[in-house]
Each structure stands twice: as C-alpha cells, then as structure tokens.
C-alpha cells in the first residue's frame, strides 16, 4: 500500500516561470513539472497488513429486546411500568434500610423523624419524579405558597421538612437487570458525576463538560445505561475480580462486560483508546466476546509492524480486521 504526501512549492514555480521566460512556454513548463515531482513529493511505504483471523460469534447477533409478556405490553399502566424498576419488594427493602440508617444516625435529634412507611416513600418518590419533569431552581419552590408562583398540588401530600429528612437518610438497593436485554453492539465509556467538595476519590479532567467529580465507567446501549461502577484514584473496587494479565482499567471493562448475558447471547464491545489494549482484546476474544476500539500507537506492546513514523494523508488505511 502506498501513501503519497505532496508538498508542492509555489515558490519554486514562481522562480521557474521567471527563469524560463523567453525560452518557450512548453519547455519551461515541462522543466518546472519535473522539478516539482522530484523535490516536492515524498512517498511513505506502509507495511503490509498482518495476518488476521476474523472473529466469528457462535450465536447470531440480536437486537435490543424487552423481556416482558405480550399481555403486559398490550395494556400497560403507568404504575405497572414503574413497578418493573421499583417492585414492592425493592421498595420495602429501601424503606427498611432507610429506617436502619436513620436509627444509627439518631435522626430524631433536631428535626422530627417518624419511622418511614412504604406509602410515604412512594409519595416521596413521586415528588422526586415530578421535580425532574417540572424543574425549578430550588426544591423549596415546589412548596412556595406565594400567588406569584405556580401551585404544585403533589406537594400537599408531604411537607418540605419530611421530604428533606427522607432524602437525607435514604438507602437504596440494586435494581434487577432481567427486564431488558441489550443489543449485540454495546459501548463502554466514562462519565463524571459532578462534585467539588473534598474527596480522595474524585478526579479532575480538563476540557470535559463536567471537569471535576466522581468518575463512573458505564456500559450503554441505545442511550440507556445498562450497568455502571464508580472508580477511585486510590483504591480498587472490591467487587471487581482481578485478572493478572489485565490492567486496572482492563479489569474494570471486563467486570462490566461480565454482567451481560454472555452465556446465551453474542456481544461486541466498542470503546475508545482509554480502554483499548491488546491484552484486553485478546482476553475478551478468548471469552467469545467481540471488541472494537481506537488505539494509541505509543501504548504498551503495540506491534511495531503497524507503526509508521512519517505523517500520512487523512483517511489512509494501514491495516484492517474485524
């Protein structure tokens, strides 16, 4: 494969016209053209693509699927859809954990605290969802009785102090991943949860929409986050299984990937050069998981046969595989 990089010299052409003026137009132009071809053109020789065995999935690729019964999809109610993500059992667990945490923190001292019930938590959650749809500058504005402000009837079911107390002591549990099945093509990327206080676990990344906060690695499909983990600068996540051949980031990627239904489904993981590594891609391939991503040529163990020192033209192909 050949890639041409032309560095034409307008200065040389101008001199050529002045020097050959009066000797005949055809002769002068031919001489200038030969000089430009000899001096202004550099050819970069790319290495041939390496031998590559195309990865083949054992099972066919699939689309995003809602794992619900047909009867449910025909006549869904708003609360029945909501209960898929917050079942009654999960709400009872949240209420139980919240009351335990409030007891440990002596919630009755200072502001009044009553034992949280399932009914009160549903009201609190409804107000929280309502505030996410109809946004106001402050949470206090939803309880503002001034005639200049709109009336929010949903806040008549709970006082502002009660809302804040539940928010302060609430403890939640993990949600189920059995409701939906991601498509075969998913991606892994990083997100930042804004936080500007003091913490040894936060990061600061310039030129980001949210430059400072807690870094989260997430596995997403079609604008939905399927699973995620918080990361730390000073310690390893206790739930992540450590594979000796993988780096810290590689283990985090595989931890997210392993939460997919990889036993009976085929998946391709897309990522950028922050996550990509040859050892990670090799390990995923051994687990029958496809991977695709950009890469930095100066990364560790990057094959020398694919490195090109000279600057290449845009859209130059130096190798391929899938």
């Amino acid at each position: 494969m050949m890639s041409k990089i032309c560095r034409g010299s307008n200065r040389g052409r101008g001199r050529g016209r002045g020097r050959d003026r009066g000797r005949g137009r055809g002769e002068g132009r031919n001489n200038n053209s030969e000089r430009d071809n000899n001096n202004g053109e550099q050819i970069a020789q790319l290495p041939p693509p390496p031998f590559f065995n195309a990865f083949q999935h054992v099972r066919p690729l699939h689309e995003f699927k809602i794992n619900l019964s047909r009867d449910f999809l025909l006549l869904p109610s708003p609360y029945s859809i909501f209960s898929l993500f917050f079942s009654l059992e999960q709400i009872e667990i949240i209420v139980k954990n919240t009351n335990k945490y409030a007891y440990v923190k002596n919630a009755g001292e200072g502001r009044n605290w009553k034992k949280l019930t399932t009914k009160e938590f549903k009201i609190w959650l409804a107000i929280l969802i309502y505030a996410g749809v109809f946004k106001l500058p402050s949470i206090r504005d939803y309880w503002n009785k001034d005639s200049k402000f709109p009336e929010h009837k949903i806040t008549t079911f709970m006082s502002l102090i009660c809302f804040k107390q539940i928010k302060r002591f609430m403890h939640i549990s993990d949600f189920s991943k059995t409701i939906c099945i991601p498509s075969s093509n998913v991606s892994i990327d990083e997100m930042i949860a804004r936080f500007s206080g003091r913490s040894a676990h936060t990061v600061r990344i310039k030129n980001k929409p949210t430059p400072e906060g807690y870094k989260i690695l997430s596995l997403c499909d079609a604008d939905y986050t399927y699973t995620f983990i918080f990361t730390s600068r000073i310690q390893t996540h206790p739930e992540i299984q450590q594979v000796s051949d993988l780096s810290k980031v590689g283990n985090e990627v595989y931890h997210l990937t392993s939460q997919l239904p990889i036993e009976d489904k085929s998946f391709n993981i897309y990522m950028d050069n922050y996550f990509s590594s040859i050892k990670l891609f090799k390990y995923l391939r051994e687990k029958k998981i496809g991977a695709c991503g950009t890469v930095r040529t100066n990364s560790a163990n990057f094959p020398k046969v694919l490195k090109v020192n000279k600057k290449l033209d845009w859209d130059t192909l130096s190798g391929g595989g899938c």
Side-chain angles (χ1 to χ4, degrees):
M1 184 179 296
M2 304 288 287
S3 176
K4 294 184 176 180
I5 305 176
C6 297
R7 298 192 180 95
S9 176
N10 294 329
R11 185 176 178 183
R13 291 178 182 176
R15 290 183 177 181
R17 289 196 187 100
R19 189 179 298 136
D20 295 331
R21 187 173 296 173
R23 297 182 182 179
R25 295 182 178 178
E27 182 182 356
R29 288 184 177 178
N30 292 334
N31 293 337
N32 290 336
S33 179
E34 292 177 359
R35 280 196 299 272
D36 289 341
N37 290 335
N38 294 332
N39 300 328
E41 205 173 88
Q42 294 181 2
I43 299 176
Q45 179 71 38
L46 295 181
F51 178 75
F52 185 81
N53 290 325
F55 177 74
Q56 298 292 337
H57 284 289
V58 179
R59 292 168 290 273
L61 302 183
H62 61 277
E63 300 292 337
F64 181 86
K65 179 184 177 182
I66 300 296
N67 195 24
L68 298 172
S69 65
R70 181 179 177 85
D71 295 337
F72 181 90
L73 294 175
L74 291 176
L75 294 173
S77 65
Y79 182 76
S80 64
I81 296 176
F82 171 81
S83 63
L84 293 174
F85 300 92
F86 282 92
S87 65
L88 181 60
E89 180 182 0
Q90 290 175 321
I91 290 177
E92 290 175 349
I93 293 174
I94 295 175
V95 171
K96 180 180 178 181
N97 292 338
T98 300
N99 285 324
K100 285 184 177 180
Y101 184 73
Y103 175 79
V104 172
K105 293 296 183 179
N106 298 321
E109 297 181 359
R111 289 184 176 181
N112 186 30
W113 170 264
K114 293 182 180 180
K115 190 175 181 179
L116 181 63
T117 64
T118 301
K119 181 180 179 180
E120 289 176 334
F121 180 77
K122 289 181 178 180
I123 295 173
W124 180 87
L125 200 55
I127 296 175
L128 192 66
I129 296 173
Y130 180 88
V133 177
F134 301 96
K135 296 181 179 181
L136 293 177
S138 173
I139 194 67
R140 300 176 61 90
D141 294 337
Y142 295 96
W143 280 266
N144 197 322
K145 302 301 181 182
D146 194 327
S147 59
K148 296 180 181 179
F149 288 82
E151 182 181 2
H152 304 278
K153 293 185 178 181
I154 193 172
T155 56
T156 59
F157 295 94
M158 179 175 288
S159 66
L160 175 60
I161 294 178
C162 182
F163 180 87
K164 287 186 173 181
Q165 286 288 82
I166 296 174
K167 180 182 177 183
R168 180 181 178 183
F169 297 106
M170 189 193 70
H171 268 47
I172 63 176
S173 62
D174 295 334
F175 63 91
S176 175
K177 299 184 179 71
T178 59
I179 297 173
C180 66
I181 300 175
S183 65
S184 292
N185 298 316
V186 295
S187 63
I188 290 180
D189 205 351
E190 55 184 345
M191 302 185 295
I192 300 293
R194 186 186 299 276
F195 181 77
S196 56
R198 293 184 177 181
S199 175
H201 306 286
T202 57
V203 297
R204 182 177 296 177
I205 306 175
K206 295 182 179 179
N207 302 324
K208 291 284 187 178
T210 305
E212 184 178 5
Y214 294 101
K215 186 164 72 171
I216 304 171
L217 302 187
S218 59
L219 188 148
C220 304
D221 172 37
D223 297 330
Y224 291 94
T225 298
Y226 181 74
T227 184
F228 65 92
I229 54 172
F230 280 88
T231 64
S232 171
R233 295 186 295 106
I234 61 174
Q235 67 184 30
T236 304
H237 199 289
E239 297 180 3
I240 296 178
Q241 179 183 359
Q242 299 299 314
V243 180
S244 58
D245 291 339
L246 299 181
S247 64
K248 178 177 180 293
V249 176
N251 281 306
E252 291 169 345
V253 171
Y254 182 68
H255 174 75
L256 294 173
T257 305
S258 62
Q259 298 181 49
L260 293 166
I262 55 180
E263 293 80 9
D264 56 352
K265 297 291 182 181
S266 297
F267 291 97
N268 299 312
I269 315 298
Y270 291 82
M271 60 195 80
D272 61 19
N273 56 31
Y274 176 74
F275 306 96
S276 297
S277 71
I278 293 176
K279 290 185 177 180
L280 173 62
F281 279 30
K282 180 181 178 182
Y283 188 79
L284 291 176
R285 184 176 178 128
E286 292 173 354
K287 298 294 182 179
K288 307 302 181 184
I289 302 171
C292 179
T294 57
V295 67
R296 298 174 182 174
T297 58
N298 60 351
S299 61
N301 299 321
F302 189 82
K304 294 182 179 180
V305 69
L306 297 179
K307 293 186 178 182
V308 179
N309 296 326
K310 296 182 180 179
K311 185 177 181 181
L312 302 176
D313 287 343
W314 171 253
D315 202 25
T316 299
L317 182 64
S318 61
C322 59

